[in-house]
């Protein structure tokens, strides 16, 4: 009999048993969280006792954790263990302010790799596949996260890294890549390079599975990718605070992402009232880690907007499905796979005396690529009529924004006074992207 | 010492016209112009006007990013080989320039070459030692 699940004993647990497991693990998580300075203090204040959770609904009695909490307790305020037990960190980008950093023990990395292997298996990847990870390695979780997951699954991994389309194509053809992971906007660009080279990925590669994630996309965009490459494309969801990729994944039904409830408690709340929304309605995703030692997070507000898809899935997995992410309850946006807060851009510009602090970010699709165009006003008094000085300024701003958010912007200098002044809540981001639907 | 008026201009409909409108309203005459476009959606508009200081003041008042830039103006013949003769002289004097434009003063007789140079004082000294005459402001501005 062919294996249907990666871990049948967890993936098909009855809801009742799954919730029992969650309660047990949540109590353990609260206990270990209380070894961290942050939760020790917070739970003392709120009078929360260890082992007090009897049913999973009681999680609502616990306070939320926010990104702000992570930043304020940077770097070690959430650690439950001494540094000798910690073996890796992943961190958000940023040269200004405190980045978001997540620490892992050996156990945490193993648990994460297992969830990724389970996710890939769910999407149909097997140990016979050749898997090309087209994704930046380093502090970004998409590189190493997938790497360890592919290895755990037993497929042949190609740690290709991001960009360099010609090399990606050569790797695919040399080694007969059958499965790959990339951000959806890049796959549009890569297809163009295939065409420029007179190739058709449907005929000239052996690809059959693409895993797409790290960037919101529509179902239409997925279908277009499937047509371009002649593959099935599966939606992957994760966030660095919850390890990274491997949090929720689509099965062969491609109808929502199973979110691994043996390792996370998943809630969807109204972002204004913070009360749970009825099943099937959209709200903010709130998550609790159940299998992380170094840095448990309890009721973490992800700011991602989604909903539970009602009903059971015919694949046999009992873990609920969330819908693709439709937006954010804050002003973060994702470009080239990088999470960007407009405040980061503002922070960079404020330190450059030649420009004003008013700015506009236009997200555009240009030549098949999604680009972040940042419009900046040149200060009137700084202008000397010299083109090279302006060119150098453009380069400086480009480099500094890139260092801050990791995505390279297109910086456009504009005349002083042409950007609306920041009064109250000025709109700083305009998203004109075509969602991969370019002809 | 002559000046040109340099203006930061976005490559958008109406932006150039906004500048010429201000000049017209203030009775400033443009004697010559050039636009250096960049691939970045903006360019620099260089103008020779009859009153650079007034142009600077008036444009600046209206919020335009504008600057005066020192230039060296030289006379040449408005005839076949006129510019070539002058450039031969400039090569001999060892003058390098970043930007140049010209204007005709009297058709078929005289024209002016306007140069932006990296080191103004040094270039001036080189030109003088080679016996080249720097034009006075009135001639450059056409007053």
């Amino acid at each position: 009999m062919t294996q249907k699940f990666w871990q049948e004993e967890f993936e098909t647990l009855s809801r009742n048993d799954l919730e029992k497991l969650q309660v047990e693990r949540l109590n353990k998580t609260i206990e270990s969280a209380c070894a961290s300075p942050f939760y020790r203090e917070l739970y003392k204040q709120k009078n929360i006792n260890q082992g007090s959770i009897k049913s999973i609904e009681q999680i609502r009695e616990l306070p939320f954790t926010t990104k702000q909490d992570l930043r304020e307790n940077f770097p070690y305020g959430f650690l439950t263990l001494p540094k000798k037990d910690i073996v890796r960190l992943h961190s958000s980008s940023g040269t200004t302010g405190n980045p978001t950093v997540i620490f892992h023990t050996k156990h945490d990395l193993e648990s994460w790799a297992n969830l990724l292997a389970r996710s890939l298996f769910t999407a149909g990847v097997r140990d016979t596949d050749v898997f090309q990870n087209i994704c930046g390695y380093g502090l970004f979780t998409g590189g190493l996260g997938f790497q360890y997951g592919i290895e755990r699954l037993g497929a042949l991994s190609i740690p290709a890294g991001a960009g360099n389309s010609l090399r990606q194509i050569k790797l695919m053809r040399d080694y007969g890549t059958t499965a790959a992971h990339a951000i959806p906007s890049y796959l549009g660009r890569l297809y163009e390079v295939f065409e420029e080279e007179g190739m058709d990925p449907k005929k000239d590669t052996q690809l059959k599975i693409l895993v797409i994630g790290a960037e919101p996309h529509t179902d239409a965009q997925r279908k277009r990718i499937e047509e371009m490459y002649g593959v099935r494309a599966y939606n992957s969801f994760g966030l660095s605070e919850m390890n990274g990729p491997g949090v929720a994944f689509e099965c062969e039904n491609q109808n929502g992402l199973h979110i691994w409830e043996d390792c996370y408690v998943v809630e969807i709340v109204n972002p204004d009232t913070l009360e749970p929304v009825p099943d099937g309605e959209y709200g903010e995703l709130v998550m609790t880690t159940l299998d992380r030692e170094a840095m448990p997070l309890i009721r973490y507000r992800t700011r991602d907007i989604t909903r539970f898809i009602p009903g059971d899935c015919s694949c046999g997995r009992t873990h609920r499905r969330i819908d693709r992410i439709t937006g954010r309850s804050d002003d973060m946006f994702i470009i080239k796979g990088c999470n960007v807060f407009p405040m980061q851009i503002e922070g960079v510009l404020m330190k450059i005396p030649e420009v004003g602090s008013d700015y506009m970010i236009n997200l555009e699709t240009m030549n098949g690529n999604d680009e972040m165009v940042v419009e900046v006003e040149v200060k009137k008094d700084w202008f000397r009529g010299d083109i090279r000085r302006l060119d150098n300024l453009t380069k400086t701003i480009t480099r500094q924004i890139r260092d801050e958010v990791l995505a390279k912007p297109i910086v456009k200098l504009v005349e002083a006074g042409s950007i609306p002044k920041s009064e109250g809540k000025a709109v700083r981001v305009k998203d004109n992207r075509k969602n991969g639907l370019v002809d | 010492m002559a000046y040109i008026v340099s203006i930061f201009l976005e490559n958008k409909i109406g932006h150039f016209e906004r500048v010429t409108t201000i000049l017209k309203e203030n009775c400033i005459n443009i004697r010559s112009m050039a636009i250096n476009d960049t691939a970045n959606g903006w360019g620099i508009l260089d103008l020779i006007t009859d009153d650079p200081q007034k142009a600077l003041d008036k444009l600046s008042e209206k919020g335009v990013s504008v600057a005066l830039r020192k230039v060296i103006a030289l006379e040449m013949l408005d005839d076949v080989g006129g510019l070539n003769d002058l450039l031969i002289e400039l090569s001999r004097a060892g003058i390098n320039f970043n930007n140049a434009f010209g204007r005709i003063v009297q058709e078929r007789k005289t024209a002016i070459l306007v140069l932006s140079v990296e080191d103004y004082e040094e270039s001036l000294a080189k030109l003088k030692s080679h016996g080249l005459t720097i034009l006075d402001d009135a001639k450059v501005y056409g007053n």
Side-chain angles (χ1 to χ4, degrees):
Chain A
M1 211 187 95
T2 51
Q3 190 186 343
K4 255 194 90 188
F5 303 99
W6 178 249
Q7 288 174 298
E8 188 166 1
E9 68 279 23
F10 286 108
E11 291 169 57
T12 62
L13 267 180
S14 73
R15 290 301 304 177
N16 207 4
D17 289 342
L18 190 53
E19 284 180 13
K20 254 195 235 161
L21 178 70
Q22 286 188 318
V23 169
E24 184 191 310
R25 287 185 166 183
L26 179 58
N27 278 314
K28 258 170 75 183
T29 297
I30 293 171
E31 192 187 320
S32 71
C34 285
S36 74
F38 174 79
Y39 283 112
R40 191 192 307 130
E41 190 53 35
L42 180 68
Y43 285 13
K44 205 169 86 188
Q45 268 178 28
K46 306 259 170 190
N47 236 338
I48 290 157
N49 298 316
Q50 296 175 15
S52 60
I53 303 288
K54 305 286 180 243
S55 82
I56 202 61
E57 283 74 32
Q58 276 181 280
I59 196 170
R60 291 178 202 152
E61 294 162 16
L62 303 174
F64 290 99
T65 306
T66 64
K67 199 179 199 75
Q68 194 58 32
D69 294 327
L70 295 181
R71 289 197 175 128
E72 282 170 6
N73 293 275
F74 176 87
Y76 294 125
F78 277 84
L79 267 196
T80 63
L81 291 163
K83 264 179 263 167
K84 79 166 178 52
D85 295 323
I86 312 301
V87 297
R88 197 200 293 166
L89 68 80
H90 280 280
S91 158
S92 67
S93 58
T95 49
T96 56
N98 291 341
T100 307
V101 60
I102 302 293
F103 297 94
H104 300 277
T105 62
K106 271 186 191 149
H107 165 87
D108 296 339
L109 292 180
E110 273 161 27
S111 168
W112 179 17
N114 177 63
L115 281 188
L116 236 150
R118 186 198 288 176
S119 298
L120 292 172
F121 193 94
T122 299
V125 182
R126 295 294 179 266
D127 56 6
T128 46
D129 278 301
V130 177
F131 196 109
Q132 189 162 329
N133 190 20
I134 307 175
C135 188
Y137 279 65
L139 288 173
F140 181 54
T141 55
L144 287 174
F146 266 90
Q147 183 62 34
Y148 281 67
I150 303 161
E151 290 175 12
R152 169 60 77 91
L153 182 74
L156 169 52
S157 62
I158 306 179
N164 198 342
S165 301
L166 285 173
R167 200 178 62 146
Q168 299 289 357
I169 293 172
K170 183 163 165 47
L171 287 169
M172 280 182 188
R173 287 165 54 80
D174 283 352
Y175 304 109
T177 299
T178 54
H181 163 238
I183 58 172
S185 59
Y186 178 69
L187 288 167
R189 170 71 198 139
L190 186 65
Y191 182 76
E192 282 183 359
V193 180
F194 267 108
E195 281 192 319
E196 285 163 20
E197 294 298 301
M199 283 190 270
D200 176 358
K202 287 189 283 297
K203 295 194 196 99
D204 298 310
T205 74
Q206 298 176 46
L207 280 173
K208 56 184 172 61
I209 293 175
L210 283 174
V211 171
I212 53 178
E215 212 176 55
H217 58 280
T218 59
D219 201 46
Q221 191 175 5
R222 179 238 296 276
K223 291 209 170 88
R224 175 128 179 93
I225 288 168
E226 292 189 325
E227 277 162 28
M228 288 190 296
Y229 288 89
V231 296
R232 291 192 75 182
Y234 296 90
N235 200 347
S236 146
F237 172 73
L239 62 159
S240 64
E241 295 93 325
M242 294 292 130
N243 293 345
V247 172
F249 235 80
E250 279 182 330
C251 65
E252 73 263 19
N253 291 326
Q254 292 179 308
N255 181 23
L257 301 90
H258 290 281
I259 188 157
W260 304 125
E261 293 181 87
D262 54 331
C263 292
Y264 302 100
V265 182
V266 186
E267 302 168 81
I268 293 178
V269 303
N270 178 316
D272 300 320
T273 65
L274 300 178
E275 290 299 319
V277 298
D279 246 18
E281 280 184 24
Y282 284 95
E284 184 182 322
L285 182 68
V286 172
M287 296 191 70
T288 300
T289 62
L290 290 178
D291 192 27
R292 200 158 68 187
E293 293 176 340
M295 192 168 168
L297 291 179
I298 299 168
R299 301 200 85 201
Y300 182 72
R301 292 188 61 185
T302 68
R303 297 290 187 170
D304 283 318
I305 302 292
T306 184
R307 65 179 187 120
F308 282 123
I309 295 180
D312 299 330
C313 185
S314 65
C315 76
R317 290 177 185 84
T318 52
H319 299 229
R320 283 180 292 179
R321 290 164 297 157
I322 55 166
D323 211 335
R324 58 183 65 245
I325 305 300
T326 58
R328 298 273 305 173
S329 65
D330 59 14
D331 57 0
M332 191 192 89
F333 61 89
I334 303 181
I335 184 95
K336 297 173 197 273
C338 302
N339 297 351
V340 180
F341 289 93
M343 271 305 293
Q344 289 178 283
I345 309 261
E346 197 169 318
V348 169
L349 296 176
M350 269 159 50
K351 285 197 211 151
I352 302 175
E354 296 90 333
V355 298
S357 56
D358 292 310
Y359 62 97
M360 268 303 303
I361 301 167
N362 296 306
L363 305 176
E364 311 275 358
T365 303
M366 299 160 91
N367 305 321
N369 273 331
D370 284 352
E371 299 288 355
M372 166 169 66
V373 181
V374 181
E375 290 184 343
V376 190
E377 283 181 10
V378 179
K379 273 196 191 145
K380 226 169 80 82
D381 304 340
W382 181 79
F383 178 74
R384 294 277 177 281
D386 187 339
I387 249 178
R388 273 176 284 189
R389 212 159 157 239
L390 291 163
D391 276 340
N392 286 337
L393 177 62
T394 306
K395 282 183 198 142
T396 306
I397 300 170
T398 305
R399 194 181 58 241
Q400 293 195 11
I401 292 178
R402 194 193 179 284
D403 287 348
E404 174 67 30
V405 304
L406 299 185
K408 187 177 176 188
I410 294 176
V411 171
K412 259 193 180 162
L413 301 180
V414 298
E415 291 161 22
S418 64
I419 294 173
K421 290 280 157 278
S422 47
E423 283 163 26
K425 273 198 169 178
V427 177
R428 292 277 165 242
V429 183
K430 274 190 205 151
D431 195 342
N432 305 316
R433 283 177 287 188
K434 296 197 179 101
N435 256 330
L437 296 174
V438 231
D439 296 313
Chain B
M1 184 183 300
Y3 288 93
I4 56 169
V5 183
S6 289
I7 293 146
F8 179 74
L9 208 56
E10 275 178 74
N11 191 352
K12 282 186 185 156
I13 290 171
H15 284 234
F16 192 1
E17 183 229 292
R18 178 172 165 241
V19 171
T20 52
T21 301
I22 296 168
L23 296 177
K24 177 181 155 191
E25 281 167 357
N26 291 284
C27 299
I28 296 163
N29 189 9
I30 300 168
R31 312 306 306 233
S32 182
M33 58 145 287
I35 290 182
N36 294 295
D37 187 26
T38 68
N40 308 317
W42 53 265
I44 303 278
L45 166 66
D46 287 331
L47 299 174
I48 297 178
T49 67
D50 58 355
D51 191 342
Q53 188 57 48
K54 188 174 167 194
L56 175 83
D57 295 343
K58 296 300 172 189
L59 289 167
S60 193
E61 267 171 32
K62 297 280 181 175
V64 176
S65 291
V66 56
L68 293 187
R69 284 200 290 163
K70 249 193 254 184
V71 287
I72 295 174
L74 299 159
E75 196 173 80
M76 57 186 170
L77 274 181
D78 176 26
D79 203 349
V80 175
L83 176 60
N84 187 239
D85 289 343
L86 180 56
L87 290 180
I88 288 169
E89 294 292 326
L90 289 175
S91 303
R92 282 191 186 140
I95 301 291
N96 190 34
F97 50 90
N98 303 329
N99 198 0
F101 62 108
R103 80 174 183 92
I104 291 166
V105 178
Q106 210 179 353
E107 203 144 334
R108 286 276 168 206
K109 284 188 177 155
T110 53
I112 295 174
L113 181 67
V114 173
L115 306 175
S116 302
V117 295
E118 200 74 60
D119 192 325
Y120 187 81
E121 296 304 330
E122 194 188 316
S123 302
L124 223 53
K126 283 180 183 170
L127 289 169
K128 277 180 186 153
S129 70
H130 274 77
L132 281 153
T133 319
I134 316 292
L135 291 179
D136 62 41
D137 294 5
K139 215 155 186 190
V140 180
Y141 304 151
N143 294 334

